[in-house]
Amino acid sequence: MDFLGDKTLLDRTTVGFLASRNTTPSIAARCRAWAESICGSESVIISGFHSPLEQGLFRIFLERRQPVVWVLGRSIYRRMEPELAEAIDEGRLLLLSVYPGTRHSRYSAQLRNRYVAMQAHEMVFAAFDANSSLAPLHDLLLAMEKKTTVIDTL
């Protein structure tokens, strides 16, 4: 596993967030409200930040300076946006790569999501239905009795 940033973020209380690629405006609004409510807490947010909704929340976390662990389903980016480099330098961002490939795949996405779920102390899911690839992961966490919240389902 490759990383870039402050690995000690993983030693803190982590809250995982995963969302389906498909969502509605009302679900997105509830997720933004959740993101705003957790900003300023001691929790570190861990996610793949891959779906459009996850990417939007990532921007909120960066702007509000909330510590984040970004788990990639591919190798770490060679070029980095200045705001990401700044967050890494300030110890607010850890990039982790769980798969060495340069492109995402269904397999690497599942590996990434499973890592997020297993690493997080609690999980928050948004916008998935029973046929989603997130559903079996959600069910596994429930069976493990991990604290799990679903903001909304499709």
Side-chain angles (χ1 to χ4, degrees), residues 9-89:
L9 290 176
L10 291 172
D11 298 331
R12 295 171 52 186
T13 300
T14 53
V15 177
F17 181 82
L18 294 173
S20 174
R21 290 182 302 264
N22 303 315
T23 189
T24 65
S26 65
I27 292 171
R30 279 180 275 204
C31 290
R32 283 191 301 275
W34 169 81
E36 292 285 345
S37 74
I38 201 164
C39 285
S41 73
E42 294 295 318
S43 297
V44 174
I45 310 305
I46 183 170
S47 179
F49 297 112
H50 190 75
S51 73
L53 178 56
E54 292 168 353
Q55 290 173 13
L57 297 190
F58 180 73
R59 293 293 165 202
I60 291 171
F61 297 136
L62 272 184
E63 290 169 10
R64 299 283 303 275
R65 308 181 78 74
Q66 186 69 25
V68 169
V69 175
W70 185 358
V71 182
L72 300 170
R74 51 157 289 156
S75 58
I76 292 179
Y77 301 109
R78 292 180 190 215
R79 292 188 189 166
M80 190 133 346
E81 297 174 29
E83 63 188 351
L84 297 181
E86 177 185 336
I88 288 171
D89 290 344

XYZ file of all heavy atoms in Angstrom, residues 9-89:
643
model
N -3.223 10.147 10.897
C -4.665 10.398 10.783
C -5.449 9.102 10.991
O -6.578 9.125 11.482
C -5.010 11.022 9.427
C -4.539 12.454 9.201
C -4.855 12.904 7.783
C -5.154 13.408 10.213
N -4.846 7.977 10.634
C -5.520 6.681 10.798
C -5.605 6.252 12.257
O -6.371 5.344 12.594
C -4.805 5.602 9.974
C -4.927 5.742 8.466
C -4.019 4.747 7.758
C -6.367 5.578 8.014
N -4.828 6.889 13.124
C -4.864 6.565 14.549
C -6.006 7.271 15.265
O -6.302 6.970 16.412
C -3.541 6.955 15.221
C -2.363 6.188 14.651
O -2.560 5.049 14.184
O -1.245 6.738 14.675
N -6.632 8.207 14.604
C -7.723 8.976 15.202
C -9.060 8.307 14.883
O -9.127 7.345 14.122
C -7.674 10.405 14.667
C -6.394 11.104 15.120
C -6.138 12.426 14.486
N -7.250 13.354 14.577
C -7.251 14.534 13.966
N -6.210 14.937 13.265
N -8.304 15.324 14.069
N -10.140 8.815 15.467
C -11.471 8.288 15.176
C -11.829 8.617 13.731
O -11.802 9.778 13.324
C -12.517 8.899 16.125
O -12.149 8.568 17.463
C -13.906 8.370 15.824
N -12.145 7.576 12.966
C -12.461 7.760 11.547
C -13.930 7.472 11.285
O -14.502 6.532 11.827
C -11.594 6.841 10.662
O -11.722 5.497 11.125
C -10.129 7.258 10.687
N -14.504 8.308 10.431
C -15.876 8.123 9.975
C -15.814 7.917 8.468
O -15.353 8.793 7.727
C -16.758 9.347 10.308
C -18.165 9.144 9.756
C -16.793 9.585 11.805
N -16.249 6.752 8.026
C -16.251 6.437 6.608
C -17.504 6.965 5.932
O -18.575 7.011 6.543
N -17.351 7.359 4.676
C -18.499 7.811 3.898
C -18.418 7.198 2.514
O -17.389 7.314 1.832
C -18.531 9.334 3.774
C -19.721 9.816 2.983
C -20.961 9.941 3.590
C -19.607 10.104 1.634
C -22.074 10.361 2.862
C -20.705 10.526 0.895
C -21.935 10.655 1.502
N -19.487 6.536 2.095
C -19.584 5.973 0.754
C -20.959 6.282 0.186
O -21.964 6.213 0.902
C -19.370 4.458 0.772
C -17.966 3.977 1.164
C -17.953 2.458 1.315
C -16.927 4.436 0.156
N -20.975 6.634 -1.090
C -22.236 6.955 -1.754
C -22.248 6.365 -3.155
O -21.206 6.249 -3.805
C -22.423 8.470 -1.837
N -23.420 6.051 -3.610
C -23.624 5.562 -4.962
C -23.309 6.649 -5.979
O -23.337 7.840 -5.666
C -25.088 5.133 -5.114
O -25.364 4.784 -6.442
N -23.023 6.227 -7.185
C -22.807 7.199 -8.274
C -24.090 7.937 -8.613
O -24.059 9.054 -9.099
C -22.291 6.479 -9.525
C -20.889 5.953 -9.396
C -20.451 5.301 -10.700
N -21.341 4.207 -11.090
C -21.120 2.932 -10.834
N -20.055 2.575 -10.188
N -21.958 2.006 -11.228
N -25.221 7.291 -8.369
C -26.518 7.881 -8.695
C -27.157 8.430 -7.436
O -27.208 7.757 -6.420
C -27.441 6.827 -9.311
C -26.826 6.206 -10.543
O -26.297 6.909 -11.388
N -26.854 4.889 -10.622
N -27.669 9.639 -7.537
C -28.296 10.256 -6.372
C -29.356 11.250 -6.835
O -29.520 11.485 -8.020
C -27.227 10.935 -5.477
O -27.841 11.343 -4.272
C -26.574 12.096 -6.160
N -30.047 11.816 -5.896
C -31.050 12.833 -6.190
C -30.622 14.137 -5.521
O -29.824 14.128 -4.578
C -32.433 12.418 -5.633
O -32.349 12.375 -4.204
C -32.873 11.072 -6.190
N -31.159 15.258 -5.959
C -30.816 16.533 -5.310
C -31.153 16.555 -3.820
O -30.397 17.109 -3.023
C -31.640 17.561 -6.087
C -31.819 16.949 -7.438
C -31.954 15.474 -7.184
N -32.243 15.928 -3.422
C -32.606 15.957 -1.999
C -31.628 15.129 -1.168
O -31.267 15.521 -0.049
C -34.044 15.477 -1.783
O -34.183 14.122 -2.132
N -31.179 13.998 -1.688
C -30.183 13.192 -0.978
C -28.867 13.956 -0.899
O -28.221 13.989 0.154
C -29.999 11.820 -1.652
C -31.263 10.976 -1.473
C -28.770 11.102 -1.104
C -31.286 9.696 -2.283
N -28.478 14.584 -1.991
C -27.239 15.369 -1.999
C -27.302 16.486 -0.961
O -26.324 16.739 -0.247
C -26.977 15.935 -3.389
N -28.428 17.130 -0.832
C -28.589 18.207 0.151
C -28.451 17.668 1.573
O -27.798 18.287 2.419
C -29.938 18.895 -0.035
N -29.056 16.503 1.842
C -28.932 15.910 3.180
C -27.488 15.508 3.477
O -27.022 15.645 4.609
C -29.860 14.716 3.326
C -31.287 15.156 3.633
C -32.159 13.966 3.757
N -32.554 13.676 2.367
C -33.626 13.027 2.005
N -34.417 12.524 2.901
N -33.939 12.858 0.753
N -26.789 15.028 2.464
C -25.389 14.647 2.654
C -24.508 15.873 2.879
O -23.599 15.830 3.715
C -24.892 13.847 1.451
S -25.632 12.200 1.361
N -24.784 16.949 2.167
C -24.028 18.190 2.406
C -24.274 18.696 3.824
O -23.340 19.137 4.502
C -24.387 19.252 1.364
C -23.734 19.004 0.012
C -23.890 20.199 -0.924
N -25.278 20.542 -1.184
C -26.040 19.982 -2.119
N -25.546 19.047 -2.900
N -27.291 20.364 -2.284
N -25.508 18.604 4.285
C -25.818 19.024 5.657
C -25.067 18.144 6.660
O -24.529 18.648 7.658
C -27.326 18.958 5.908
N -25.001 16.839 6.410
C -24.237 15.946 7.277
C -22.765 16.349 7.277
O -22.136 16.427 8.343
C -24.393 14.490 6.827
C -23.429 13.580 7.526
C -23.572 13.053 8.773
C -22.157 13.148 7.043
N -22.458 12.307 9.091
C -21.585 12.352 8.053
C -21.451 13.346 5.863
C -20.329 11.746 7.904
C -20.206 12.771 5.721
C -19.653 11.981 6.734
N -22.216 16.605 6.086
C -20.800 16.987 5.986
C -20.528 18.267 6.763
O -19.538 18.359 7.502
C -20.402 17.158 4.521
N -21.401 19.241 6.615
C -21.231 20.507 7.351
C -21.301 20.264 8.860
O -20.564 20.877 9.620
C -22.303 21.521 6.934
C -22.165 22.023 5.503
C -21.028 23.014 5.315
O -20.501 23.543 6.318
O -20.665 23.251 4.159
N -22.178 19.351 9.274
C -22.349 19.110 10.712
C -21.143 18.414 11.338
O -20.874 18.590 12.522
C -23.616 18.292 10.982
O -23.433 16.937 10.607
N -20.421 17.630 10.556
C -19.279 16.899 11.118
C -17.992 17.727 11.065
O -17.037 17.442 11.786
C -19.103 15.529 10.433
C -18.299 14.593 11.339
C -18.468 15.656 9.073
C -18.380 13.149 10.968
N -17.990 18.763 10.227
C -16.808 19.625 10.145
C -16.580 20.305 11.491
O -17.511 20.765 12.133
C -16.973 20.669 9.044
S -16.783 19.979 7.400
N -15.342 20.357 11.891
C -14.996 20.942 13.179
C -14.937 19.912 14.288
O -14.485 20.207 15.389
N -15.392 18.686 14.010
C -15.304 17.620 15.010
C -13.885 17.051 15.000
O -13.072 17.382 14.145
C -16.310 16.509 14.705
O -15.886 15.760 13.579
N -13.617 16.182 15.924
C -12.304 15.529 16.009
C -12.172 14.378 15.014
O -11.087 13.842 14.830
C -12.069 15.016 17.433
C -11.960 16.126 18.463
C -10.737 17.007 18.234
O -9.648 16.469 17.938
O -10.888 18.238 18.325
N -13.263 13.996 14.383
C -13.261 12.844 13.480
C -12.489 13.127 12.199
O -12.492 14.241 11.682
C -14.683 12.445 13.117
O -15.387 12.030 14.257
N -11.869 12.071 11.695
C -11.224 12.098 10.384
C -12.167 11.392 9.423
O -12.650 10.295 9.709
C -9.858 11.373 10.428
C -9.249 11.275 9.053
C -8.912 12.079 11.398
N -12.435 12.009 8.285
C -13.324 11.409 7.293
C -12.487 10.547 6.360
O -11.464 10.994 5.844
C -14.062 12.492 6.474
C -14.723 13.526 7.390
C -15.077 11.845 5.534
C -15.660 12.955 8.427
N -12.934 9.313 6.136
C -12.241 8.403 5.231
C -13.215 7.972 4.144
O -14.360 7.606 4.425
C -11.644 7.197 5.985
C -10.863 6.282 5.032
C -12.681 6.445 6.772
C -10.038 5.211 5.742
N -12.763 8.061 2.892
C -13.628 7.721 1.767
C -12.765 7.548 0.519
O -11.599 7.943 0.500
C -14.658 8.840 1.531
O -15.490 8.538 0.428
N -13.387 7.014 -0.508
C -12.742 6.962 -1.815
C -12.923 8.255 -2.575
O -12.209 8.521 -3.535
N -13.890 9.063 -2.158
C -14.193 10.343 -2.800
C -14.196 10.210 -4.320
O -13.606 11.001 -5.031
C -13.215 11.431 -2.337
C -13.312 11.718 -0.868
C -12.276 11.383 -0.012
C -14.455 12.289 -0.331
C -12.374 11.637 1.356
C -14.560 12.551 1.030
C -13.508 12.214 1.875
N -14.892 9.176 -4.784
C -14.908 8.884 -6.222
C -16.218 9.285 -6.894
O -16.197 9.856 -7.975
C -14.633 7.390 -6.442
C -14.395 7.037 -7.868
N -13.223 7.333 -8.509
C -15.186 6.427 -8.767
C -13.303 6.919 -9.758
N -14.480 6.361 -9.949
N -17.356 9.001 -6.264
C -18.640 9.351 -6.881
C -18.796 10.874 -6.891
O -18.135 11.574 -6.115
C -19.795 8.711 -6.106
O -19.990 9.370 -4.865
N -19.660 11.402 -7.748
C -19.861 12.854 -7.770
C -20.252 13.421 -6.399
O -19.756 14.479 -5.998
C -20.975 13.050 -8.796
C -20.836 11.882 -9.724
C -20.407 10.736 -8.841
N -21.112 12.733 -5.671
C -21.514 13.195 -4.342
C -20.319 13.201 -3.388
O -20.090 14.167 -2.657
C -22.640 12.322 -3.791
C -23.144 12.651 -2.393
C -23.593 14.107 -2.278
C -24.275 11.710 -2.020
N -19.546 12.130 -3.395
C -18.350 12.059 -2.546
C -17.366 13.171 -2.888
O -16.778 13.786 -1.989
C -17.670 10.696 -2.689
C -18.476 9.547 -2.132
C -17.934 8.185 -2.539
O -17.001 8.104 -3.362
O -18.469 7.192 -2.027
N -17.202 13.446 -4.169
C -16.286 14.518 -4.582
C -16.759 15.878 -4.080
O -15.951 16.698 -3.648
C -16.155 14.541 -6.109
C -15.395 13.362 -6.661
C -15.429 13.304 -8.170
O -15.818 14.257 -8.844
N -15.024 12.173 -8.730
N -18.057 16.103 -4.113
C -18.599 17.359 -3.598
C -18.349 17.516 -2.108
O -18.000 18.606 -1.639
N -18.517 16.424 -1.364
C -18.257 16.483 0.079
C -16.773 16.673 0.350
O -16.399 17.378 1.290
C -18.775 15.228 0.771
C -20.280 14.987 0.712
C -20.668 13.851 1.643
C -21.085 16.225 0.996
N -15.923 16.078 -0.481
C -14.476 16.260 -0.317
C -14.116 17.740 -0.380
O -13.319 18.227 0.419
C -13.723 15.474 -1.397
C -12.233 15.616 -1.308
C -11.536 14.982 -0.288
C -11.537 16.374 -2.224
C -10.156 15.105 -0.194
C -10.164 16.504 -2.138
C -9.464 15.865 -1.120
N -14.734 18.464 -1.300
C -14.475 19.918 -1.426
C -14.909 20.649 -0.151
O -14.221 21.566 0.305
C -15.194 20.493 -2.648
C -14.650 19.985 -3.952
C -13.247 20.483 -4.152
N -12.599 19.727 -5.213
C -11.297 19.617 -5.340
N -10.498 20.220 -4.499
N -10.778 18.924 -6.302
N -16.038 20.249 0.416
C -16.490 20.855 1.676
C -15.455 20.597 2.765
O -15.067 21.509 3.501
C -17.873 20.304 2.098
C -18.956 20.805 1.146
C -18.196 20.694 3.546
C -20.314 20.147 1.340
N -14.995 19.354 2.874
C -14.026 19.017 3.916
C -12.722 19.793 3.735
O -12.145 20.271 4.709
C -13.763 17.513 3.953
C -14.972 16.689 4.296
C -15.268 15.528 3.603
C -15.837 17.073 5.319
C -16.374 14.763 3.920
C -16.957 16.319 5.640
C -17.226 15.159 4.936
N -12.272 19.922 2.494
C -11.045 20.694 2.252
C -11.228 22.158 2.639
O -10.370 22.733 3.312
C -10.638 20.624 0.776
C -9.755 19.475 0.349
C -9.380 19.625 -1.122
C -8.509 19.345 1.196
N -12.339 22.742 2.206
C -12.599 24.155 2.512
C -12.719 24.401 4.007
O -12.261 25.426 4.509
C -13.880 24.621 1.808
C -13.749 24.736 0.315
C -15.083 24.938 -0.375
O -16.108 25.176 0.312
O -15.106 24.865 -1.621
N -13.336 23.467 4.722
C -13.540 23.620 6.168
C -12.366 23.075 6.980
O -12.410 23.066 8.203
C -14.838 22.923 6.590
C -16.109 23.464 5.924
C -16.586 24.778 6.511
N -16.828 24.712 7.927
C -17.955 24.304 8.510
N -18.972 23.921 7.781
N -18.058 24.274 9.819
N -11.329 22.571 6.293
C -10.093 22.105 6.919
C -10.292 20.870 7.797
O -9.581 20.661 8.771
C -9.415 23.237 7.668
C -9.232 24.468 6.783
C -8.547 25.606 7.462
N -7.105 25.448 7.565
C -6.239 25.580 6.559
N -6.670 25.852 5.356
N -4.955 25.444 6.769
N -11.281 20.053 7.446
C -11.542 18.811 8.167
C -10.506 17.769 7.740
O -10.273 17.594 6.544
C -12.958 18.304 7.850
C -13.393 17.105 8.644
C -13.595 17.436 10.112
O -13.862 18.566 10.469
N -13.438 16.435 10.952
N -9.880 17.055 8.663
C -8.907 16.023 8.289
C -9.570 14.906 7.480
O -10.680 14.476 7.799
C -8.400 15.497 9.631
C -8.754 16.543 10.628
C -9.988 17.224 10.106
N -8.856 14.458 6.454
C -9.416 13.500 5.506
C -8.376 12.436 5.142
O -7.203 12.749 4.960
C -9.853 14.238 4.217
C -10.193 13.280 3.114
C -11.020 15.164 4.494
N -8.852 11.198 5.013
C -8.070 10.124 4.405
C -8.769 9.778 3.101
O -9.935 9.388 3.093
C -7.983 8.879 5.317
C -7.254 7.745 4.600
C -7.306 9.222 6.636
N -8.067 9.966 2.005
C -8.596 9.703 0.671
C -8.003 8.383 0.196
O -6.806 8.298 -0.063
C -8.229 10.839 -0.256
C -8.802 10.765 -1.637
C -9.572 9.792 -2.177
C -8.616 11.739 -2.665
N -9.894 10.100 -3.479
C -9.317 11.290 -3.796
C -7.928 12.937 -2.727
C -9.328 11.998 -4.986
C -7.958 13.643 -3.922
C -8.655 13.182 -5.034
N -8.836 7.359 0.096
C -8.393 6.034 -0.319
C -8.640 5.897 -1.818
O -9.783 5.963 -2.269
C -9.134 4.926 0.466
C -8.625 3.558 0.048
C -8.972 5.138 1.961
N -7.569 5.699 -2.546
C -7.659 5.598 -4.005
C -7.727 4.137 -4.435
O -7.045 3.293 -3.861
C -6.436 6.243 -4.658
C -6.205 7.721 -4.360
C -4.837 8.150 -4.856
C -7.296 8.547 -5.002
N -8.508 3.880 -5.454
C -8.569 2.552 -6.058
C -7.616 2.478 -7.241
O -7.875 1.768 -8.200
N -6.534 3.194 -7.172
C -5.510 3.269 -8.222
C -4.237 3.789 -7.573
O -4.232 4.099 -6.387
C -5.954 4.207 -9.339
C -6.407 5.564 -8.815
C -6.348 6.685 -9.794
N -4.960 7.007 -10.041
C -4.512 7.596 -11.130
N -5.333 7.951 -12.064
N -3.245 7.849 -11.291
N -3.188 3.921 -8.353
C -1.942 4.451 -7.800
C -2.099 5.943 -7.475
O -3.004 6.607 -7.968
C -0.795 4.234 -8.784
O -1.080 4.852 -10.021
N -1.222 6.434 -6.626
C -1.278 7.839 -6.210
C -0.974 8.739 -7.403
O -0.115 8.429 -8.235
C -0.304 8.093 -5.047
C -0.824 7.347 -3.808
C -0.144 9.569 -4.748
C 0.031 7.467 -2.585
N -1.679 9.846 -7.469
C -1.535 10.790 -8.568
C -0.111 11.337 -8.647
O 0.501 11.647 -7.628
C -2.515 11.966 -8.392
C -3.954 11.529 -8.330
C -4.673 11.597 -7.137
C -4.599 11.031 -9.452
C -5.991 11.191 -7.078
C -5.914 10.621 -9.402
C -6.603 10.697 -8.209
O -7.907 10.287 -8.146
N 0.391 11.489 -9.863
C 1.727 12.066 -10.046
C 1.698 13.576 -9.914
O 2.641 14.174 -9.434
C 2.283 11.687 -11.413
C 2.579 10.219 -11.524
C 3.131 9.887 -12.878
N 3.172 8.450 -13.033
C 4.101 7.821 -13.688
N 5.075 8.488 -14.260
N 4.074 6.519 -13.786
N 0.631 14.182 -10.405
C 0.448 15.629 -10.281
C -0.623 15.895 -9.249
O -1.623 15.199 -9.182
C 0.026 16.238 -11.614
C 1.102 16.187 -12.644
C 0.684 16.964 -13.859
N 1.632 16.724 -14.922
C 1.425 17.025 -16.161
N 0.279 17.569 -16.521
N 2.341 16.789 -17.064
N -0.409 16.945 -8.494
C -1.331 17.236 -7.416
C -1.772 18.693 -7.487
O -0.962 19.587 -7.718
C -0.624 16.980 -6.084
C -1.544 17.018 -4.938
S -1.382 15.663 -3.796
C -0.423 14.438 -4.560
N -3.071 18.905 -7.264
C -3.587 20.264 -7.184
C -2.933 20.961 -5.996
O -2.681 20.333 -4.963
C -5.100 20.247 -6.983
C -5.880 19.636 -8.121
C -7.362 19.521 -7.789
O -7.877 20.345 -6.998
O -7.989 18.600 -8.317
N -2.678 22.267 -6.106
C -2.035 22.990 -4.999
C -2.779 22.870 -3.676
O -2.150 22.749 -2.618
C -2.020 24.442 -5.489
C -2.075 24.349 -6.972
C -2.878 23.110 -7.279
N -4.116 22.860 -3.717
C -4.860 22.751 -2.462
C -4.674 21.388 -1.796
O -4.706 21.275 -0.571
C -6.342 23.060 -2.664
C -7.050 22.106 -3.580
C -8.468 22.539 -3.907
O -8.980 23.484 -3.294
O -9.067 21.901 -4.771
N -4.446 20.341 -2.589
C -4.170 19.026 -2.013
C -2.784 18.998 -1.397
O -2.600 18.471 -0.292
C -4.297 17.928 -3.073
C -5.668 17.723 -3.697
C -5.622 16.587 -4.711
C -6.720 17.479 -2.651
N -1.816 19.554 -2.104
C -0.444 19.616 -1.581
C -0.414 20.415 -0.273
O 0.263 20.026 0.688
C 0.486 20.229 -2.611
N -1.173 21.494 -0.218
C -1.246 22.313 0.996
C -1.838 21.511 2.156
O -1.317 21.535 3.280
C -2.089 23.561 0.740
C -2.276 24.438 1.947
C -3.217 25.610 1.687
O -3.375 26.029 0.524
O -3.807 26.102 2.667
N -2.916 20.776 1.896
C -3.554 19.968 2.941
C -2.611 18.868 3.429
O -2.563 18.574 4.629
C -4.866 19.369 2.428
N -1.846 18.273 2.529
C -0.863 17.254 2.924
C 0.211 17.889 3.795
O 0.558 17.366 4.856
C -0.260 16.567 1.686
C -1.310 15.647 1.044
C 1.003 15.784 2.056
C -0.917 15.082 -0.301
N 0.721 19.031 3.350
C 1.769 19.727 4.113
C 1.299 20.122 5.508
O 2.085 20.142 6.456
C 2.243 20.975 3.365
C 3.029 20.642 2.104
O 3.476 19.477 1.962
O 3.190 21.550 1.258
